[in-house]
Amino acid sequence: NIVTYTTAVTTSLVLLLMTMNKQIYQRILFPGVVPDKKYTQTHSLPPGEISGCPYFGSVAIFPNMNKWLSEQSHKISTSTSSPLTIFKSYTLFKPMAVIVGTSRTRKVLNQEFSESGVSQPVSFLGNALEIFGKHSLSFEIKDKAKYRFLRSLVGRAMTHEAV
């Protein structure tokens, strides 16, 4: 049958291209991970391997996230004495930079409400509003004082005594 033959040849060519060129392989199975050429000179990506289940990413993160983060930061690090504090990964359908460690995380979070800083990824899941509700801390992205006040209320409710 000509359709079966054409499908087999096309599939073979795609698989051959994917194995010959890592960028084609990653672009197809891990969307969004190939660096944008116009930024490679000014904004390099952190170290790390993009691997795991195609489209979904690393599923090893689920049983114990802290253990996985620690293992990844030690595995990728070129130094045997200290792990990396930032690396790239592909998890939950998205490429991401993972920040490990209290001091570096605090530094990033302190920039959260600045003009050039980071903000909560409220659209990460697509339907976050339906999942978390409009009063979630994740949706307070404009007023730093209000965010800190709400966070302190939540923090007080999560003490050992309160729980």
PDB file of all heavy atoms in Angstrom, residues 70 72-86 100:
ATOM      1  N   SER A  70      18.323  18.547  44.869  1.00  0.00           N
ATOM      2  CA  SER A  70      19.675  18.374  45.400  1.00  0.00           C
ATOM      3  C   SER A  70      20.510  17.466  44.496  1.00  0.00           C
ATOM      4  O   SER A  70      21.659  17.782  44.175  1.00  0.00           O
ATOM      5  CB  SER A  70      19.599  17.793  46.807  1.00  0.00           C
ATOM      6  OG  SER A  70      20.883  17.534  47.302  1.00  0.00           O
ATOM      7  N   GLN A  72      20.095  16.808  41.291  1.00  0.00           N
ATOM      8  CA  GLN A  72      20.364  17.467  40.011  1.00  0.00           C
ATOM      9  C   GLN A  72      21.458  18.514  40.152  1.00  0.00           C
ATOM     10  O   GLN A  72      22.360  18.599  39.314  1.00  0.00           O
ATOM     11  CB  GLN A  72      19.096  18.119  39.446  1.00  0.00           C
ATOM     12  CG  GLN A  72      18.042  17.141  39.013  1.00  0.00           C
ATOM     13  CD  GLN A  72      18.549  16.206  37.935  1.00  0.00           C
ATOM     14  OE1 GLN A  72      19.055  16.628  36.919  1.00  0.00           O
ATOM     15  NE2 GLN A  72      18.414  14.928  38.174  1.00  0.00           N
ATOM     16  N   SER A  73      21.397  19.324  41.195  1.00  0.00           N
ATOM     17  CA  SER A  73      22.393  20.381  41.356  1.00  0.00           C
ATOM     18  C   SER A  73      23.784  19.805  41.605  1.00  0.00           C
ATOM     19  O   SER A  73      24.778  20.368  41.162  1.00  0.00           O
ATOM     20  CB  SER A  73      21.995  21.349  42.471  1.00  0.00           C
ATOM     21  OG  SER A  73      21.914  20.697  43.702  1.00  0.00           O
ATOM     22  N   HIS A  74      23.875  18.652  42.281  1.00  0.00           N
ATOM     23  CA  HIS A  74      25.175  18.002  42.475  1.00  0.00           C
ATOM     24  C   HIS A  74      25.645  17.311  41.199  1.00  0.00           C
ATOM     25  O   HIS A  74      26.828  17.327  40.872  1.00  0.00           O
ATOM     26  CB  HIS A  74      25.096  16.976  43.618  1.00  0.00           C
ATOM     27  CG  HIS A  74      25.186  17.588  44.970  1.00  0.00           C
ATOM     28  ND1 HIS A  74      24.075  18.075  45.623  1.00  0.00           N
ATOM     29  CD2 HIS A  74      26.235  17.815  45.782  1.00  0.00           C
ATOM     30  CE1 HIS A  74      24.445  18.561  46.794  1.00  0.00           C
ATOM     31  NE2 HIS A  74      25.749  18.417  46.915  1.00  0.00           N
ATOM     32  N   LYS A  75      24.724  16.689  40.477  1.00  0.00           N
ATOM     33  CA  LYS A  75      25.080  15.944  39.266  1.00  0.00           C
ATOM     34  C   LYS A  75      25.626  16.871  38.170  1.00  0.00           C
ATOM     35  O   LYS A  75      26.591  16.538  37.492  1.00  0.00           O
ATOM     36  CB  LYS A  75      23.852  15.188  38.758  1.00  0.00           C
ATOM     37  CG  LYS A  75      24.117  14.315  37.538  1.00  0.00           C
ATOM     38  CD  LYS A  75      22.939  13.412  37.232  1.00  0.00           C
ATOM     39  CE  LYS A  75      21.899  14.138  36.442  1.00  0.00           C
ATOM     40  NZ  LYS A  75      20.804  13.277  35.977  1.00  0.00           N
ATOM     41  N   ILE A  76      25.026  18.026  38.011  1.00  0.00           N
ATOM     42  CA  ILE A  76      25.412  18.941  36.946  1.00  0.00           C
ATOM     43  C   ILE A  76      26.647  19.754  37.308  1.00  0.00           C
ATOM     44  O   ILE A  76      27.395  20.179  36.444  1.00  0.00           O
ATOM     45  CB  ILE A  76      24.225  19.887  36.617  1.00  0.00           C
ATOM     46  CG1 ILE A  76      23.034  19.059  36.145  1.00  0.00           C
ATOM     47  CG2 ILE A  76      24.595  20.904  35.558  1.00  0.00           C
ATOM     48  CD1 ILE A  76      21.732  19.824  36.108  1.00  0.00           C
ATOM     49  N   SER A  77      26.886  19.951  38.588  1.00  0.00           N
ATOM     50  CA  SER A  77      27.987  20.792  39.047  1.00  0.00           C
ATOM     51  C   SER A  77      29.337  20.239  38.613  1.00  0.00           C
ATOM     52  O   SER A  77      29.573  19.034  38.625  1.00  0.00           O
ATOM     53  CB  SER A  77      27.947  20.900  40.572  1.00  0.00           C
ATOM     54  OG  SER A  77      29.028  21.682  41.032  1.00  0.00           O
ATOM     55  N   THR A  78      30.230  21.128  38.223  1.00  0.00           N
ATOM     56  CA  THR A  78      31.594  20.712  37.862  1.00  0.00           C
ATOM     57  C   THR A  78      32.466  20.607  39.101  1.00  0.00           C
ATOM     58  O   THR A  78      33.503  19.973  39.081  1.00  0.00           O
ATOM     59  CB  THR A  78      32.228  21.710  36.874  1.00  0.00           C
ATOM     60  OG1 THR A  78      32.175  23.026  37.442  1.00  0.00           O
ATOM     61  CG2 THR A  78      31.498  21.685  35.553  1.00  0.00           C
ATOM     62  N   SER A  79      32.056  21.229  40.193  1.00  0.00           N
ATOM     63  CA  SER A  79      32.780  21.166  41.451  1.00  0.00           C
ATOM     64  C   SER A  79      32.251  20.013  42.288  1.00  0.00           C
ATOM     65  O   SER A  79      31.043  19.822  42.400  1.00  0.00           O
ATOM     66  CB  SER A  79      32.608  22.480  42.215  1.00  0.00           C
ATOM     67  OG  SER A  79      33.054  22.338  43.540  1.00  0.00           O
ATOM     68  N   THR A  80      33.140  19.264  42.884  1.00  0.00           N
ATOM     69  CA  THR A  80      32.700  18.152  43.734  1.00  0.00           C
ATOM     70  C   THR A  80      32.318  18.622  45.128  1.00  0.00           C
ATOM     71  O   THR A  80      31.623  17.926  45.849  1.00  0.00           O
ATOM     72  CB  THR A  80      33.803  17.084  43.849  1.00  0.00           C
ATOM     73  OG1 THR A  80      35.001  17.705  44.343  1.00  0.00           O
ATOM     74  CG2 THR A  80      34.056  16.419  42.519  1.00  0.00           C
ATOM     75  N   SER A  81      32.773  19.831  45.516  1.00  0.00           N
ATOM     76  CA  SER A  81      32.506  20.294  46.875  1.00  0.00           C
ATOM     77  C   SER A  81      31.227  21.112  47.008  1.00  0.00           C
ATOM     78  O   SER A  81      30.627  21.149  48.071  1.00  0.00           O
ATOM     79  CB  SER A  81      33.693  21.120  47.383  1.00  0.00           C
ATOM     80  OG  SER A  81      33.876  22.246  46.548  1.00  0.00           O
ATOM     81  N   SER A  82      30.811  21.795  45.937  1.00  0.00           N
ATOM     82  CA  SER A  82      29.600  22.611  46.074  1.00  0.00           C
ATOM     83  C   SER A  82      28.674  22.409  44.882  1.00  0.00           C
ATOM     84  O   SER A  82      29.103  22.411  43.736  1.00  0.00           O
ATOM     85  CB  SER A  82      29.971  24.086  46.213  1.00  0.00           C
ATOM     86  OG  SER A  82      30.601  24.539  45.042  1.00  0.00           O
ATOM     87  N   PRO A  83      27.393  22.251  45.169  1.00  0.00           N
ATOM     88  CA  PRO A  83      26.429  22.054  44.081  1.00  0.00           C
ATOM     89  C   PRO A  83      26.103  23.367  43.381  1.00  0.00           C
ATOM     90  O   PRO A  83      26.414  24.448  43.875  1.00  0.00           O
ATOM     91  CB  PRO A  83      25.199  21.528  44.819  1.00  0.00           C
ATOM     92  CG  PRO A  83      25.312  22.125  46.177  1.00  0.00           C
ATOM     93  CD  PRO A  83      26.781  22.194  46.482  1.00  0.00           C
ATOM     94  N   LEU A  84      25.493  23.261  42.221  1.00  0.00           N
ATOM     95  CA  LEU A  84      25.041  24.444  41.504  1.00  0.00           C
ATOM     96  C   LEU A  84      23.892  25.094  42.255  1.00  0.00           C
ATOM     97  O   LEU A  84      23.138  24.426  42.957  1.00  0.00           O
ATOM     98  CB  LEU A  84      24.530  24.056  40.110  1.00  0.00           C
ATOM     99  CG  LEU A  84      25.568  23.685  39.083  1.00  0.00           C
ATOM    100  CD1 LEU A  84      24.886  23.247  37.804  1.00  0.00           C
ATOM    101  CD2 LEU A  84      26.476  24.850  38.789  1.00  0.00           C
ATOM    102  N   THR A  85      23.731  26.392  42.070  1.00  0.00           N
ATOM    103  CA  THR A  85      22.607  27.078  42.687  1.00  0.00           C
ATOM    104  C   THR A  85      21.552  27.449  41.654  1.00  0.00           C
ATOM    105  O   THR A  85      20.475  27.889  42.020  1.00  0.00           O
ATOM    106  CB  THR A  85      23.073  28.350  43.418  1.00  0.00           C
ATOM    107  OG1 THR A  85      23.821  29.161  42.504  1.00  0.00           O
ATOM    108  CG2 THR A  85      23.943  27.992  44.605  1.00  0.00           C
ATOM    109  N   ILE A  86      21.855  27.256  40.372  1.00  0.00           N
ATOM    110  CA  ILE A  86      20.870  27.489  39.324  1.00  0.00           C
ATOM    111  C   ILE A  86      21.175  26.543  38.164  1.00  0.00           C
ATOM    112  O   ILE A  86      22.334  26.332  37.816  1.00  0.00           O
ATOM    113  CB  ILE A  86      20.853  28.967  38.858  1.00  0.00           C
ATOM    114  CG1 ILE A  86      19.736  29.199  37.842  1.00  0.00           C
ATOM    115  CG2 ILE A  86      22.197  29.396  38.311  1.00  0.00           C
ATOM    116  CD1 ILE A  86      19.478  30.671  37.530  1.00  0.00           C
ATOM    117  N   VAL A 100      18.279  26.961  43.405  1.00  0.00           N
ATOM    118  CA  VAL A 100      18.420  26.130  44.590  1.00  0.00           C
ATOM    119  C   VAL A 100      19.207  26.907  45.640  1.00  0.00           C
ATOM    120  O   VAL A 100      20.215  27.529  45.333  1.00  0.00           O
ATOM    121  CB  VAL A 100      19.163  24.816  44.247  1.00  0.00           C
ATOM    122  CG1 VAL A 100      19.317  23.945  45.475  1.00  0.00           C
ATOM    123  CG2 VAL A 100      18.439  24.067  43.146  1.00  0.00           C
TER     124      VAL A 100
END
